[in-house]
C-alpha cells in the first residue's frame, strides 16, 4: 500500500491529500530516508512522522485494506514514539494555558460563540408575552366594569 494512503487509512491524517502534502514537505520518512507518496509500506517498517513539532514513530504491524475505524488502529500499528516527545507536547500545552487562563482577557472566538449560544437559549427560554403575563387579552372589558 502507498504510504500516503496508509497514513490516511490509519487515521494519522484527515485526508489523503493532506497526507500527500506532508510527505512532499519531507515530514515523513521510513528509516532514515525521506519518501515519496508512491513509496510502498511493508509490515515491520518504522515510519517517522513530524507533526505538531513532535516526531512520532510508528511501527507497521499489518496493512489495512482500506480506511479503518479508530478502535482498530492499534491492530495495524504500534506507537514507538519516545516518551520525551510526549513530554515536550505536554510542556507546550501547559505553556499555552499559562499564557492566558480561561476567563481572563478578551474572549476567543470559541468563547464568544459559547456566550452567544448561552444568551440566545436564555432569552428564548425566558421570553414571555407581557400581555399574557398580566392577563390582558387586548380588550378593555375588564377596565369598563
Amino acid at each position: 500500500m502507498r504510504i500516503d494512503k496508509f497514513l490516511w487509512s490509519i487515521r494519522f491524517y484527515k485526508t489523503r491529500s493532506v497526507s500527500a502534502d506532508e510527505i512532499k514537505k519531507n515530514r515523513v520518512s521510513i528509516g532514515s530516508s525521506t519518501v515519496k507518496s508512491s513509496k510502498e509500506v511493508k509490515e515491520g517498517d518504522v515510519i517517522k512522522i513530524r507533526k505538531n513539532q513532535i516526531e512520532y514513530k510508528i511501527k507497521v504491524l499489518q496493512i489495512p485494506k482500506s480506511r479503518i475505524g479508530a478502535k482498530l488502529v492499534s491492530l495495524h500499528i504500534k506507537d514507538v514514539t519516545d516518551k520525551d516527545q510526549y513530554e515536550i507536547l505536554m510542556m507546550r500545552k501547559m505553556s499555552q494555558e499559562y499564557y492566558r487562563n480561561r476567563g481572563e482577557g478578551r474572549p476567543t472566538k470559541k468563547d464568544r460563540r459559547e456566550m452567544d449560544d448561552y444568551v440566545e437559549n436564555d432569552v428564548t427560554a425566558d421570553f414571555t408575552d407581557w400581555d399574557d403575563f398580566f392577563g390582558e387579552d387586548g380588550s378593555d372589558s375588564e377596565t369598563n366594569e
Side-chain angles (χ1 to χ4, degrees), residues 6 30 32 45 48 68-69 85 95 117 123 134-136 141 144:
F6 177 77
I30 295 179
S32 60
D45 285 346
K48 295 178 187 175
I68 56 174
Q85 294 291 322
S95 67
D117 288 342
V123 169
F134 289 112
E136 297 177 11
S141 62
N144 291 341

Side-chain angles (χ1 to χ4, degrees), residues 17 28 39-40 49 62 77 82 90 102 106 139:
S17 62
V28 178
K39 173 73 174 169
E40 290 291 320
I49 305 161
Q62 288 181 335
I77 64 167
D82 297 330
M90 291 302 294
R102 185 166 178 82
R106 186 174 177 177
S139 64

Side-chain angles (χ1 to χ4, degrees), residues 9-108:
S9 66
I10 62 165
R11 297 181 172 269
F12 210 86
Y13 292 109
K14 190 173 183 177
T15 65
R16 191 169 169 187
S17 62
V18 171
S19 176
D21 290 341
E22 294 297 308
I23 292 168
K24 284 180 189 173
K25 294 176 184 175
N26 294 330
R27 294 183 181 158
V28 178
S29 61
I30 295 179
S32 60
S33 61
T34 57
V35 294
K36 292 184 177 180
S37 297
S38 61
K39 173 73 174 169
E40 290 291 320
V41 178
K42 300 173 195 137
E43 293 179 7
D45 285 346
V46 176
I47 302 172
K48 295 178 187 175
I49 305 161
R50 186 106 172 121
K51 184 178 179 184
N52 298 331
Q53 300 175 346
I54 304 291
E55 188 168 305
Y56 295 96
K57 291 181 186 175
I58 57 173
K59 184 175 183 179
V60 179
L61 301 176
Q62 288 181 335
I63 306 293
K65 294 189 186 327
S66 63
R67 190 165 168 94
I68 56 174
K71 291 182 179 180
L72 301 175
V73 170
S74 60
L75 300 174
H76 297 278
I77 64 167
K78 181 180 180 184
D79 186 13
V80 291
T81 306
D82 297 330
K83 300 290 183 200
D84 60 340
Q85 294 291 322
Y86 286 117
E87 289 176 8
I88 291 169
L89 185 64
M90 291 302 294
M91 292 297 285
R92 286 200 178 105
K93 279 187 178 181
M94 289 173 57
S95 67
Q96 287 175 347
E97 290 173 2
Y98 175 74
Y99 174 70
R100 181 175 100 61
N101 291 331
R102 185 166 178 82
E104 291 183 1
R106 186 174 177 177
T108 62

